[in-house]
């Protein structure tokens, strides 16, 4: 099989055609491109079929495990592929590790070290029980997220653009410092003991539920085959994105217990982001599982925050 690789502008990426076996897969093609170009390793490549000029249809993305023959249009000896450079990539476990490591390390600095003295506060600092429990809660959450990254999550994509490391770290690290500053401040006024217990109790329940939701999602890809499936069991029977629901509510519990403006700002920003993700996933699952041509029909469910959405 002869494969022509062009860029989206129509320029040939590789002079001449690539010669591949008739049984070659998309992965074999990616390796052949990497061998000829050196710079473009497989996870940096996005390969699609050409689209007709003026067409508004989205191009067909080649799946790495599929045979190239599946993408030929009658002529199995010739194939033209459009190449896009995705830029430098990083694995998702590495991306998540760095974005979660920052808050895990930054928050305790405000609790254990005399940060506020360096910032001009000269009075005596009294540490309230809620500030100590908030430290435990915060560190447990981000330690849990790191452990889930390496031992629970299965990722639908192997890599993410390197630029996302800087963007995500800026988000998590800055919010970590912002919240830690106010929760651990010497002038912080604690809530009542009952409110603290209700907030942290509710939050811990949601953290455990969140872990269970992630285990359910992992089991959907238990064979490592990937692809989309209808999640079911536990909260997924009533909510499409139960993992996001429990994530939002666990931060609500934290804020009930600590009650700072910084914490609620983080909650609303995170809820807005996860709501957009949930809406996109809900639409995608409804489109994929439409009940036509033998496909199952996606059941009627809340998207993320019952009874509102």
């Amino acid at each position: 099989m002869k494969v022509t690789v062009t860029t989206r502008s129509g320029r040939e990426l590789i002079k001449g055609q690539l010669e591949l076996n008739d049984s070659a897969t998309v992965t074999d093609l990616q390796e052949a491109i990497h061998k000829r170009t050196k710079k473009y390793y497989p996870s940096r490549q996005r390969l699609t079929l050409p689209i007709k000029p003026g067409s508004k249809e989205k191009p067909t993305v080649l799946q790495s495990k599929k045979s190239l023959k599946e993408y030929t249009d009658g002529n199995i000896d010739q194939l033209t592929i459009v190449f896009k450079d995705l830029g430098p990539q990083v694995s998702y476990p590495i991306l998540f590790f760095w974005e979660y490591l920052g808050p895990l390390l930054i928050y305790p600095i405000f609790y254990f070290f005399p940060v506020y003295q360096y910032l001009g506060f000269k009075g005596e600092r009294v540490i309230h029980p809620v500030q100590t429990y908030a430290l435990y809660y915060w560190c447990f959450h981000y330690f849990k997220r790191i452990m889930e990254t390496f031992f629970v999550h299965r990722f639908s994509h192997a890599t993410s653009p390197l630029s996302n490391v800087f963007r995500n770290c800026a988000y998590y690290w800055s919010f970590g410092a912002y919240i830690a500053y106010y929760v651990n401040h010497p002038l912080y006024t604690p809530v009542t003991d009952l409110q603290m217990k209700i907030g942290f109790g509710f939050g811990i329940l949601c953290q455990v539920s969140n872990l269970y939701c992630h285990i359910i999602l992992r089991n959907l890809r238990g064979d490592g085959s990937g692809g989309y499936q209808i999640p079911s069991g536990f909260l997924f029977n009533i909510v499409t994105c139960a993992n996001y629901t429990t994530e939002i509510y666990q931060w609500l519990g934290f804020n009930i217990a600590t009650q700072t403006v910084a914490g609620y700002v983080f909650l609303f920003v995170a809820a807005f982001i996860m709501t957009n993700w949930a809406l996109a996933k809900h639409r995608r699952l409804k489109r994929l599982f439409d009940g036509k041509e033998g496909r199952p029909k996606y059941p009627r469910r809340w998207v993320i925050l019952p009874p509102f959405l």
Side-chain angles (χ1 to χ4, degrees):
M1 176 182 291
K2 296 181 178 180
V3 181
T4 302
V5 183
T6 68
T7 64
R8 291 188 294 173
S9 64
R11 178 181 61 84
E12 280 195 359
L13 178 72
I14 298 172
K15 297 300 181 182
Q17 296 176 312
L18 292 171
E19 294 277 355
L20 296 171
N21 294 328
D22 290 343
S23 60
T25 64
V26 175
T27 298
D28 295 327
L29 173 58
Q30 290 176 317
E31 292 292 349
I33 293 173
H34 181 214
K35 187 176 181 180
R36 291 283 296 272
T37 61
K38 302 301 180 184
K39 176 182 178 181
Y40 302 121
Y41 44 86
S43 61
R44 188 168 174 164
Q45 303 172 23
R46 181 176 183 264
L47 305 180
T48 62
L49 295 178
I51 57 174
K52 296 179 180 179
S55 174
K56 295 183 179 180
E57 294 182 0
K58 292 184 178 181
T60 301
V61 180
L62 276 60
Q63 304 299 315
S64 60
K65 295 181 180 180
K66 289 190 175 183
S67 169
L68 288 175
K69 283 185 177 180
E70 296 184 42
Y71 296 104
T72 56
D73 186 18
N75 186 359
I76 62 173
D77 297 324
Q78 296 281 344
L79 183 63
T80 299
I81 298 299
V82 179
F83 168 90
K84 178 183 178 181
D85 177 20
L86 297 177
Q89 301 287 298
V90 64
S91 70
Y92 270 100
I94 296 301
L95 168 65
F96 287 167
F97 171 76
W98 284 109
E99 68 184 42
Y100 297 145
L101 182 65
L104 181 62
L105 297 180
I106 290 171
Y107 192 102
I109 292 174
F110 287 85
Y111 180 88
F112 288 109
F113 296 97
V115 175
Y116 300 97
Q117 291 184 14
Y118 300 131
L119 296 176
F121 184 83
K122 302 302 181 182
E124 182 181 358
R125 180 186 173 206
V126 177
I127 297 179
H128 302 284
V130 65
Q131 293 172 310
T132 302
Y133 296 138
L135 170 72
Y136 296 155
Y137 186 100
W138 182 279
C139 292
F140 173 74
H141 170 76
Y142 283 104
F143 178 76
K144 163 184 164 290
R145 295 306 299 267
I146 291 175
M147 292 299 101
E148 287 174 337
T149 295
F150 290 107
F151 301 110
V152 177
H153 292 321
R154 293 184 185 275
F155 302 99
S156 56
H157 300 286
T159 61
S160 172
L162 180 62
S163 59
N164 286 351
V165 174
F166 306 103
R167 183 197 66 187
N168 291 14
C169 285
Y171 171 79
Y172 280 100
W173 293 30
S174 59
F175 263 119
Y178 180 44
I179 296 170
Y181 174 83
Y182 284 102
V183 174
N184 295 289
H185 199 281
L187 299 180
Y188 171 79
T189 302
V191 299
T192 64
D193 188 63
L194 177 60
Q195 183 174 333
M196 177 190 72
K197 290 178 179 178
I198 291 173
F200 283 139
F202 176 69
I204 288 295
L205 177 63
C206 291
Q207 289 221 45
V208 174
S209 299
N210 182 256
L211 171 61
Y212 187 50
C213 288
H214 288 155
I215 292 173
I216 291 175
L217 293 176
R218 170 194 169 89
N219 291 338
L220 287 179
R221 296 192 177 119
D223 58 358
S225 59
Y228 291 102
Q229 300 181 49
I230 299 177
S232 61
F234 192 46
L235 297 176
F236 285 107
N237 290 335
I238 57 174
V239 185
T240 292
C241 294
N243 51 320
Y244 296 154
T245 302
T246 51
E247 178 80 11
I248 292 171
Y249 282 139
Q250 71 184 14
W251 286 117
L252 176 61
F254 178 85
N255 283 303
I256 290 173
T258 56
Q259 201 159 293
T260 64
V261 171
Y264 278 109
V265 170
F266 176 64
L267 171 64
F268 287 125
V269 172
F272 176 78
I273 293 171
M274 284 185 278
T275 296
N276 286 331
W277 292 345
L279 288 169
K281 184 173 183 179
H282 189 76
R283 288 192 294 265
R284 182 166 57 245
L285 289 173
K286 289 186 69 175
R287 184 177 68 253
L288 291 174
F289 302 102
D290 54 9
K292 300 177 182 178
E293 299 178 0
R295 292 184 293 270
K297 185 173 179 60
Y298 193 74
R300 184 178 177 84
R301 291 176 178 172
W302 301 105
V303 178
I304 184 172
L305 293 173
F308 308 109
L309 184 60

